[in-house]
Amino acid sequence: MFHLREPKFLKLLDLTPEEITGLLDLADDLKAKKKAGTPHALYTGKNIALIFEKTSTRTRCSFEVAAHDLGMNCTYLDPSGSQIGKKESIADTARVLGRMFDGIEYRGYGQEIVEDLYRYSGIPVWNGLTNEFHPTQILADFLTARERFGSLAGLKLVYMGDARYNMGNSLMVGCAKMGMRFVACAPEKYMPNAELVETCRSIAAETGAVLEFEPDLNKALPGAHVVYTDVWVSMGESDSVWEERIRDLFPYRVTAEAMALAGPQCVFMHCLPSFHDLNTTIGKTIHDKFGLDCMEVTDEVFEGPQSVVFDEAENRMHTIKAVMAATL
């Protein structure tokens, strides 16, 4: 079975293109076994800890179901169930968990936390999301794209909206690694960090990837294979930023017109949750305050034939299972 060189999955920058491909191939195999009802309890008796300083539906369910399928037990630690970073340092927590568990997932804040968990625990550590990167989501996205188009090399992915944080960062890194064409379509002040851009340009020079930063939708969208977006306000940010984000990013919401610009070959992706209707508390609040019936994507696109968002959501579980299998 395929294994990573190092027993960690902290950011895609750590992996070679061949390792990313290996994870996708393993996810394909494990997904086929799951669909066929073929048991694959490869790690019976192992125990893993799931640290969630930020809540999640998909990430938690994916890790728990994947762990059970692999024969493992898991312990869920929410912000109230751990002293991590409060009464106990990250290093001390890592050394304690490393003596009790066989692997640790972390979903929370700074990238340095997940890096320290790996440094001090002595066991595999997996990044379920940090402020800077969201690598398990990108694997699910790439598996979904590969299922749809056959391969990743040369695919054009347009990310619309706020490209400064974990999703924009991770998609740019992933596209650079896999020889894809990444286009950030956003206002200038919402473009990715310049230092990371330069790092990705160096990677692209070796893989043949193309990186573009284009505020004009009419130039960015034509010929896209994937149009991708995310919520406009990230977890942990203040509600006070909504007005500014709506004003700046409203022209960049994914509409039927935007998808028509991209072309009929294009699919729509979103890491979820999405504010595409008024069936959420936040969606209703934004409607009452600003009069919007959707935000980053219209309901027409989200529910339309080009949307593959629930394929992505399912593939979170298959790719996370591959990550754990390849590092334990």
Side-chain angles (χ1 to χ4, degrees):
M1 187 178 68
F2 171 78
H3 277 82
L4 295 179
R5 289 168 301 147
E6 294 185 79
K8 63 177 183 177
F9 188 73
L10 308 182
K11 57 185 183 298
L12 293 180
L13 286 170
D14 298 333
L15 305 184
T16 65
E18 292 75 21
E19 285 180 306
I20 295 172
T21 298
L23 288 172
L24 295 175
D25 290 344
L26 180 56
D28 261 336
D29 179 61
L30 293 171
K31 182 174 182 177
K33 286 182 169 63
K34 177 82 170 177
K35 298 292 186 183
T38 304
H40 45 283
L42 306 171
Y43 294 107
T44 300
K46 297 282 188 182
N47 295 281
I48 64 170
L50 307 179
I51 302 173
F52 277 70
E53 293 195 290
K54 291 183 179 179
T55 58
S56 169
T57 300
R58 279 151 299 281
T59 303
R60 178 179 177 178
C61 292
S62 294
F63 269 100
E64 290 194 353
V65 173
H68 292 312
D69 283 353
L70 292 172
M72 298 189 289
N73 305 304
C74 54
T75 299
Y76 177 76
L77 298 170
D78 66 14
S80 66
S82 167
Q83 298 298 341
I84 184 170
K86 297 187 283 288
K87 291 184 178 179
E88 187 167 55
S89 70
I90 304 301
D92 289 356
T93 299
R95 286 179 285 193
V96 169
L97 296 181
R99 292 181 178 224
M100 298 181 181
F101 292 95
D102 301 291
I104 301 170
E105 179 273 350
Y106 173 81
R107 179 182 175 91
Y109 297 96
Q111 180 71 19
E112 70 279 0
I113 298 175
V114 76
E115 302 279 350
D116 281 347
L117 284 170
Y118 178 69
R119 182 177 297 113
Y120 292 106
S121 69
I123 60 175
V125 173
W126 313 296
N127 181 354
L129 174 142
T130 62
N131 293 339
E132 294 85 355
F133 296 109
H134 196 2
T136 59
Q137 178 65 52
I138 306 313
L139 282 187
D141 300 335
F142 283 5
L143 181 62
T144 307
R146 201 172 75 163
E147 289 172 342
R148 186 70 176 233
F149 297 104
S151 65
L152 294 176
L155 291 186
K156 179 180 178 180
L157 186 149
V158 180
Y159 183 83
M160 293 177 63
D162 191 342
R164 298 172 297 173
Y165 298 119
N166 47 34
M167 281 309 304
N169 289 346
S170 295
L171 284 166
M172 179 172 64
V173 171
C175 288
K177 289 277 185 177
M178 301 311 291
M180 298 167 66
R181 182 179 175 187
F182 173 80
V183 184
C185 184
E188 292 291 348
K189 71 178 184 179
Y190 292 95
M191 290 296 184
N193 171 271
E195 183 177 350
L196 184 60
V197 168
E198 287 309 306
T199 298
C200 289
R201 287 195 192 280
S202 297
I203 296 168
E206 299 178 3
T207 64
V210 176
L211 306 180
E212 300 175 25
F213 306 91
E214 177 55 68
D216 188 338
L217 277 69
N218 293 293
K219 295 178 181 178
L221 286 168
H225 297 90
V226 177
V227 167
Y228 204 117
T229 194
D230 191 9
V231 294
W232 291 340
V233 176
S234 298
M235 282 184 292
E237 289 191 282
S238 167
D239 290 346
S240 64
V241 303
W242 274 110
E243 184 172 1
E244 178 187 13
R245 297 288 168 80
I246 289 170
R247 182 184 68 244
D248 293 344
L249 297 175
F250 186 79
Y252 294 88
R253 67 176 180 163
V254 182
T255 62
E257 292 74 20
M259 294 300 292
L261 265 178
Q265 77 291 335
C266 186
V267 297
F268 170 72
M269 289 190 179
H270 193 302
C271 53
L272 303 183
S274 168
F275 299 125
H276 60 95
D277 56 24
L278 303 181
N279 295 327
T280 63
T281 301
I282 293 178
K284 291 175 183 174
T285 300
I286 295 299
H287 175 267
D288 292 344
K289 192 170 183 179
F290 300 103
L292 300 181
D293 58 4
C294 64
M295 280 177 272
E296 74 278 1
V297 57
T298 63
D299 195 55
E300 180 182 12
V301 171
F302 187 90
E303 298 289 358
Q306 290 171 283
S307 176
V308 294
V309 297
F310 296 109
D311 294 333
E312 289 176 84
E314 178 192 340
N315 281 337
R316 291 295 307 284
M317 189 265 289
H318 303 300
T319 48
I320 281 171
K321 189 185 297 182
V323 166
M324 292 194 291
T327 50
L328 286 165

